[in-house]
Amino acid sequence: MRSWPDCPIGARTLGAMSARSRDPSRLDVEPFAKEGGELEGEWPLRQLRRLAETAHPEARPTESDRVHWQARGEMRPVRGAAPQPWLHLSAQTSLNLECQRCLQPMAVPLDVSRSFCFVHGEAAAAALDAESEDDVLALTRALDLRELLEDELLLSLPLVPRHESCAPPMPLAGSQPEPLEERPNPFAALAALKRPGRH
């Protein structure tokens, strides 16, 4: 994979930015937003371990499987207050999940796009988050984009992955067929709850 100057492997800057505001593992959010910074790149899917572990046991991610991602910052005006930093993130990949009907691997494309508003302090983030439909986070000088995007990809997993058309596995000879119990994905189940945001 090509290494871009002054950037971690797998990340490419779009536009001129300071060294700190272009490190996706320790992103300094406020200057990144003030500069209208843009980053894009890819990570091996295996490095997103929580996500990789949800794959079918016989179809785990290989070295060639990648997560493609993009990040863009901006400052939005606020009436009667200082502008707020915003971060827009997106990621795309494909993961082989276990079909809950036939128990075989099924390729599931994942495509997420989220925007986050940043404010100073955990208390302010919690207060604003309670009354806002937007995702609100406390401002940080060392945001790990990979961890944040992995959270969003986990939340985008289908609750009960199933092929559109398939048959349940055949019972072994002499055994009595048992009803197949569907097992919802524990991470995807979180997405079914009302998301008040992040703190």
Side-chain angles (χ1 to χ4, degrees):
M1 185 181 299
R2 180 176 178 181
S3 176
W4 298 86
D6 299 322
C7 295
I9 292 177
R12 179 163 69 97
T13 58
L14 304 178
M17 292 185 289
S18 66
R20 173 176 289 177
S21 61
R22 58 175 165 234
D23 182 352
S25 66
R26 296 180 57 83
L27 185 68
D28 194 346
V29 175
E30 190 166 30
F32 182 76
K34 287 180 177 179
E35 296 164 3
E38 295 185 24
L39 285 170
E40 65 178 11
E42 60 180 29
W43 294 306
L45 183 51
R46 285 177 170 177
Q47 290 185 6
L48 280 67
R49 294 183 179 178
R50 291 175 296 151
L51 184 64
E53 287 173 358
T54 67
H56 190 286
E58 298 176 3
R60 298 290 191 191
T62 66
E63 187 60 34
S64 62
D65 292 316
R66 294 286 190 269
V67 176
H68 303 275
W69 60 271
Q70 303 82 34
R72 179 174 62 86
E74 71 163 332
M75 298 295 291
R76 287 188 181 178
V78 178
R79 182 177 297 179
Q84 288 179 332
W86 279 75
L87 187 63
H88 309 286
L89 300 177
S90 60
Q92 306 81 36
T93 191
S94 181
L95 190 65
N96 289 309
L97 301 179
E98 183 179 274
C99 172
Q100 295 303 294
R101 182 184 290 119
C102 69
L103 306 183
Q104 296 302 308
M106 59 174 293
V108 176
L110 302 177
D111 190 341
V112 299
S113 181
R114 303 291 295 176
S115 294
F116 301 90
C117 171
F118 287 84
V119 296
H120 289 277
E122 294 286 347
L128 182 59
D129 190 52
E131 58 187 38
S132 174
E133 295 182 357
D134 298 312
D135 287 324
V136 182
L137 298 176
L139 195 61
T140 176
R141 299 183 65 185
L143 179 68
D144 189 336
L145 288 185
R146 185 166 63 187
E147 182 178 357
L148 183 56
L149 281 171
E150 184 176 20
D151 289 344
E152 295 303 319
L153 288 166
L154 285 167
L155 289 170
S156 74
L157 293 174
L159 281 172
V160 183
R162 288 184 297 190
H163 290 107
E164 291 186 6
S165 177
C166 64
M170 296 294 293
L172 297 175
S175 63
Q176 294 293 326
E178 297 181 1
L180 181 63
E181 180 182 354
E182 294 182 340
R183 296 166 295 173
N185 185 290
F187 290 105
L190 298 175
L193 304 175
K194 181 178 179 182
R195 295 179 55 189
R198 300 170 183 275
H199 305 301

